Amino acid sequence: MNHLDALESQSIYIFREAFRHFEDIAMLWSIGKDSTALLWLARKAFFGRVPFPLVHIDTTYKPAELIAFRDHYAREWGLNLIVHTNADADAQAITPDKGRFECCTARKTKGLQQVIDREGFKGVILGIRRDEEGSRAKERFFSPRDANFEWDFRDQPPELWDQFNTTFSRDTHIRIHPLLHWTELDIWEYTKRENIPVCPLYFANNGKRFRSLGCWPCNMPISSNARTIDEIVAELKVTKTPERAGRAQDHEKAYMMQKLRTLGYM
């Protein structure tokens, strides 16, 4: 078993543990490379069928290429996809110009809370990784939230020697992270090995490409000539630029991502 086989095996194990222990779960699909690799793993874990709904939180600021990719593969793979937009944020005209913290909270965090409340989901599976940014490094594979979906990163269950706690009180909301132990390089090498489709925005055009995908007003491309997955892998092996260097919300305020995530951000 090689490195990618071991990562895949543990992620599939976590998927099956989550499905066995928790009722009413869903999976978040942001359409980025990580969540699409996560979706690929879910289809493998359950023999080609995803046995729970997928949720996409549409902030109305997603690039058109991302939405076209979502709609194409939702049809091709026969997904049970729930697309939700926080209409209150539109009604209140909450935009990035009025503050990225406020906009992310309203359009992403509140949007996710609305669909969880409406559908009665007790747990949500997400494609975050520890190496992405600091607050995600503090996560657990099975991570409890309180009744308000808030996360106390100072008080989390230990997960020693891959022994996972899957017993929580009934009012606990659970976030499940099957990709937590993967790196950005792992994701791209696995995407190449499995021939997983990815949004074309990841590939360089006129010397620029997106390394992380998000809302278009708050996400800038990086300088790059990587037009293929092989070239992206080669680039990642030498770059010293952080993965989320183009994401404005990571730089606007000190600890902004940690503050967003304690409130329930993905």
Side-chain angles (χ1 to χ4, degrees), residues 201-211 221-228 231-236 239:
L201 291 173
Y202 283 112
F203 301 108
N205 183 17
N206 293 325
K208 298 281 186 182
R209 75 176 187 90
F210 287 91
R211 192 165 158 194
I222 62 166
S223 296
S224 170
N225 291 313
R227 295 174 179 271
T228 67
E231 289 174 354
I232 289 174
V233 167
E235 180 182 272
L236 292 180
T239 187

Side-chain angles (χ1 to χ4, degrees), residues 26-209:
M27 192 176 97
L28 208 62
W29 188 28
S30 71
I31 331 295
K33 64 188 185 307
D34 301 315
S35 68
T36 302
L38 186 71
L39 173 55
W40 190 267
L41 287 161
R43 296 172 74 229
K44 274 198 163 186
F46 302 106
F47 308 103
R49 183 185 70 89
V50 183
F52 35 75
L54 273 71
V55 174
H56 177 66
I57 303 302
D58 190 344
T59 62
T60 71
Y61 287 107
K62 299 296 184 184
E65 294 90 339
L66 211 65
I67 300 301
F69 182 91
R70 177 196 72 190
D71 293 344
H72 175 82
Y73 284 99
R75 286 193 301 272
E76 182 165 318
W77 291 341
L79 305 174
N80 177 9
L81 177 64
I82 299 169
V83 177
H84 179 74
T85 297
N86 180 1
D88 295 339
D90 282 338
Q92 296 167 24
I94 297 174
T95 66
D97 294 341
K98 295 187 176 179
R100 291 191 173 93
F101 182 87
E102 292 74 12
C103 188
C104 283
T105 299
R107 294 187 177 271
K108 294 183 178 178
T109 308
K110 295 295 183 186
L112 179 60
Q113 289 177 357
Q114 288 171 350
V115 75
I116 288 172
D117 283 339
R118 188 187 71 201
E119 303 291 336
F121 295 131
K122 303 298 184 186
V124 176
I125 303 168
L126 301 96
I128 68 164
R129 295 179 283 102
R130 284 197 175 110
D131 74 325
E132 249 178 305
E133 57 85 29
S135 69
R136 288 172 171 142
K138 301 173 184 176
E139 275 288 7
R140 298 291 188 269
F141 287 95
F142 293 88
S143 180
R145 265 61 173 169
D146 67 14
N148 298 315
F149 308 113
E150 293 184 1
W151 176 49
D152 184 356
F153 61 87
R154 301 178 188 84
D155 182 21
Q156 299 189 84
E159 292 183 332
L160 305 176
W161 302 289
D162 291 342
Q163 300 298 304
F164 305 121
N165 179 18
T166 54
T167 303
F168 299 95
S169 61
R170 291 189 60 82
D171 62 346
T172 302
H173 172 71
I174 301 298
R175 299 285 177 90
I176 302 142
H177 304 126
L179 294 183
L180 205 56
H181 53 316
W182 294 57
T183 65
E184 182 185 14
L185 184 58
D186 295 330
I187 292 293
W188 280 114
E189 289 180 332
Y190 186 72
T191 296
K192 176 180 170 55
R193 187 184 89 168
E194 301 286 313
N195 197 24
I196 303 172
V198 290
C199 179
L201 291 173
Y202 283 112
F203 301 108
N205 183 17
N206 293 325
K208 298 281 186 182
R209 75 176 187 90

